[in-house]
Amino acid sequence: MPPLPQTVPLSWYLLLSAILFGLGVAGFLFRKNIITVFMSIELMLNAVNLSFIAFSYQFRQVDGHIFAFFVMVVAAAEAAVGLGIILTVFKNRATLQIDEISTLKN
Amino acid sequence: MDVILFLIFAFIAVASAVSLVLQRHPISSALSLIGVMGALAVLYLLLGAEFMAAAQLIVYAGAIMVLFVFVIMLLNAGRERPSAASRLVRWLGIPLFTLFIGVMAYFIQTFFPKTLDVSFGGFTQGAGLEIGRQLFTRYLLPFEVTSLLILIAIIGAIVLARKEI
């Protein structure tokens, strides 16, 4: 086993971000519960935020932080509206399984 | 020390994310997502983003996840049933996921061969002062448009939560 480096290369952060994004995509595609699918989207947004902040370190500017801040605001708005939609769907259909909600398909 | 902290919290983040994908119960997934967000907040601190670390904990792990947990409990969401298609997708998905990570690692090594080394305290502009200055000068218009977005989201949530729909 090679010795650990003293400092962390920035590419490790980017790789971690890619792994988290891939797991978010996997959750989005695999899960059948509408709330878990929604949480996977939040995981993808978080992974992208990590990339923004890592690049902000690389370029020595705070612009990446501000982009991540806007992503956070959009995620908050999206969570409020999305959970409202989930509540309405549950009120009308009494189910949270996404493959049972297929009116548009037929 | 930086490497050890990075490895610990990166491991926590990845393990929590795997747990989010694999757990059958939505409340377990929500708790795993809180773990991811907390670990990411520490990584933001290591990258010198103090304001974003605080905002991550307050907005994401605080406000948004409380909303999620609240809705899960309100709807009394139970364990989800596995379907035949999802089992097929799982066997196809693990090689595809590994392939995706491999391709991303290759691209990162190819396009960013000379990235900086991250050390704690190497970037000191991430505190509230510099972010506030940029937010209210250079990014003033996007910041104000954001307030409009929040207003639309509030109105949309109220309309959706009415009884008649």
Side-chain angles (χ1 to χ4, degrees), chain A residues 4-16 18-24 26-27 29-33 35-36 38-40 42-43 45-47 49-50 53-63 65-88 90-92 95-97 99-100, chain B residues 2-3 6-7 10 13-14 17-18 20-24 26 29-30 33 36-37 40 43-44 46-47 49 51-52 55-56 59-60 64 67-68 71-72 74-75 77-78 80-81 83 86 89 93 97 100-101 104-105 108-109 112 114-119 122-123 125-126 130-131 134-135 138-139 142-143 146 149-150 153 157 160-162 165:
Chain A
L4 281 176
Q6 281 302 307
T7 51
V8 189
L10 195 88
S11 49
W12 291 13
Y13 283 95
L14 299 179
L15 193 60
L16 174 68
I19 292 172
L20 289 181
F21 190 88
L23 284 169
L29 294 175
F30 291 173
R31 306 319 310 235
K32 296 289 172 219
N33 191 313
I35 299 175
T36 319
F38 206 53
M39 282 192 280
S40 304
E42 298 288 332
L43 180 61
L45 288 171
N46 264 293
N49 269 354
L50 181 64
I53 289 178
F55 278 122
S56 186
Y57 187 98
Q58 167 83 17
F59 295 121
R60 303 272 154 198
Q61 288 172 345
V62 287
D63 300 47
H65 294 195
I66 291 171
F67 264 86
F69 180 71
F70 285 141
V71 170
M72 210 176 266
V73 172
V74 170
E78 177 221 333
V81 175
L83 289 171
I85 291 174
I86 290 176
L87 278 178
T88 312
F90 187 76
K91 224 184 299 178
N92 289 330
T95 182
L96 289 174
Q97 300 278 113
D99 41 6
E100 288 174 15
Chain B
D2 282 10
V3 180
F6 173 83
L7 288 179
V14 172
V18 170
L20 188 158
V21 177
L22 294 184
Q23 293 280 356
R24 290 253 157 250
S29 294
L33 189 53
V36 176
M37 286 164 177
L40 281 183
L43 293 179
Y44 291 173
L46 285 178
L47 283 167
F51 175 77
M52 288 310 295
Q56 169 93 359
V59 176
Y60 258 127
I64 296 182
L67 207 59
F68 269 99
V71 167
I72 292 170
L74 186 69
L75 299 185
E80 68 175 78
R81 296 182 300 279
S83 59
S86 74
V89 163
F97 177 73
F100 172 75
I101 297 302
M104 287 309 289
I108 288 170
Q109 286 302 325
F112 310 110
K114 283 187 293 215
T115 50
L116 293 177
D117 282 341
V118 178
S119 58
F123 180 68
Q125 291 182 320
E130 184 61 26
I131 290 184
Q134 291 283 330
L135 211 52
R138 201 169 155 207
Y139 293 96
F143 185 66
T146 295
L149 179 75
I150 296 275
L160 282 170
R162 275 189 319 180
I165 295 179

Side-chain angles (χ1 to χ4, degrees), chain A residues 99-106:
Chain A
D99 41 6
E100 288 174 15
I101 306 167
S102 56
T103 312
L104 279 179
K105 203 170 158 188
N106 304 316

